[in-house]
Amino acid sequence: MKDMKEKWWKNSVVYQIYPRSFCDSNGDGIGDINGIRSKLWYLKELGVDIIWINPVYPSPNADNGYDVADYCGISEEYGSLEDMKALIQECENYDIKIMMDLVMNHTSDEHPWFMEAKSTKDNPYRDYYIWRKGEPGNPPNDLQACFGGSAWEYSDETGEYYLHMFDKKQPDLNWENEAVRNELWKMMNYWIDLGIKGFRMDVMDMVGKVPDEKIIQNGPKLHQYIQEMNRETFGDRDMITVGECGGSYPEVGRLYSDPERKELDMIFTFEHMLVDELPGKQKWDLKELDLRDLKRVFGKWQQELGEKGWNSLFWNNHDFPRVVSRWGNDGAYREKSAKMLATALHGMKGTPYIYQGEEIGMTNFPFKGEGDFDDVESINMYRERTEQGYSEEEIMKSLCAKSRDNARTPMQWNDGHEAGFTKGTAWYHINPNYREINAEQALEDPNSIFHYYQQLIRLRKEKPVLVHGAFEMLCPEDETIFAYTREWEGTKWLIVCNFYDKLAEFKYPAKGRVILSNYEQEPELSLEQIKLRPYEAIICQIMV
Ligand code: TEU
Ligand code: CA
């Protein structure tokens, strides 16, 4: 077995591109592959090693590309397969690897497999999906779809129900069927042969589901399937693989990512993303962040995956609100708090993911009303909660805080027409703060959030303690400070972050040499007793 320390993805940083909103090259208002090609210099400047691109396959867009109609093609709105090949080639020249998004739990209902499957009960593709008997209006059981309503949809053609854990236009594939799995392995090998170096796998923890017993995540055959996938596709390739496993806890995280088990390199858990919702309720049921909860979750994962397995580190993606608005301060302390959050995350052990715009401190969108939303989840929620009698004000409060559309507004490149995203009219709202918050401005300002991220990425390349160092949480019960140490071969780093806009006291019995901070610092600090300023963050090396 190869020494774990040699894995290149351990000191890499991934940048996530939501192609629809990244950069439009042809003026139709929709971001595209050639737009990505035109910005590779920017990603190189930032210093990232890998780009994860959200789905660009042909899709009716019931769920913005997560309803795939053809796994091997490129949607016309994003360009062509030729453009994709050119992107792969240019990325290689820049030494940037591409991670494709694989949506294998479900397809679009417009995928040819489903069109066949729904036509007759004895169609060879019937068993590619999950069908159950039932009378109209009386589904097989009360499983709920993630976007609201029953997870079962009645299909008139054959008088049976099919399962869809998301929208009804996203029927679930039947992984019990070996033919389905073989089709998926074939598709993965096709992308590997084209030069793709990584896979992000959508809702991977759902593929072993047993719907009749209402087991959806972490089903009994899940790990068996993933091991089969590893064997049949990327196992002997030098790639990076990450499974989106929202319902995972650290013990399961280790099963996926322990290299000896030959499954995946790492997973995305949502555990830290759920700390500001009421337990047992929905993401819309808001709860103020208690920093101790966040630290408990991170601490647990850092601990459990410390020796075996590997963590992915993220604050943002296309499904979550902007972190600077969520747990930082998007007003007076936007710059300070964005840098503080970056420090807290990038200081930990794991592979960090940056979501487009995070590196310039993009914020949530000031939604005014129902008509402002695009996402199927938000639109359904608005309707459902209105029917349930929630007030407009309550609904808007939840959506402003948590709608996925917060993350999906176009990238702010400059202070010109449509924030430099398109020469035409953008497909979706541009955040009105683009005149102050944009990439051009960030590149010009040596003190910008962008340049701070650049330094964090560089540190990961240069300092093994940041990659391999053992993690130890400090002051877990402190309500305002997030502090921990990393230790590797005699080098010890302290990372200390003030999560609030008030002064906060912190004590550590040593002196530290400052490595990076979002405030001006003396080169050496006595840590015996320090007062951290609003959102202050410091990385320092403990002096012995
Ligand atoms: O997300 C999976 C997932 O669990 C989300 O539905 C999550 O619960 C929700 O976004 C939180 O509000 C993945 C994709 O990242 C997402 O964009 C897709 O909509 C979903 O799968 C279905 O493919
Ligand atoms: Ca376009």
Side-chain angles (χ1 to χ4, degrees), residues 23-32 77-78:
C23 179
D24 173 26
S25 70
N26 62 354
D28 67 356
I30 299 175
D32 46 48
E77 51 183 11
Y78 295 129

Side-chain angles (χ1 to χ4, degrees), residues 12 48 99 119 295 306 320 366 398 522:
S12 297
V48 296
M99 177 187 269
S119 63
K295 293 196 289 187
F320 294 102
S398 298
E522 298 294 326

Side-chain angles (χ1 to χ4, degrees), residues 63 66 103 106 147 166 170 200 202-203 244 270 283 318-319 377 404 408:
D63 183 20
Y66 282 94
V103 192
H106 44 266
F147 296 153
F166 293 90
Q170 295 168 292
R200 177 269 187 189
D202 197 55
V203 285
E244 187 205 28
F270 290 174
K283 67 188 249 186
H318 62 294
D319 291 336
E377 185 193 48
R404 308 197 294 184
R408 299 178 178 186

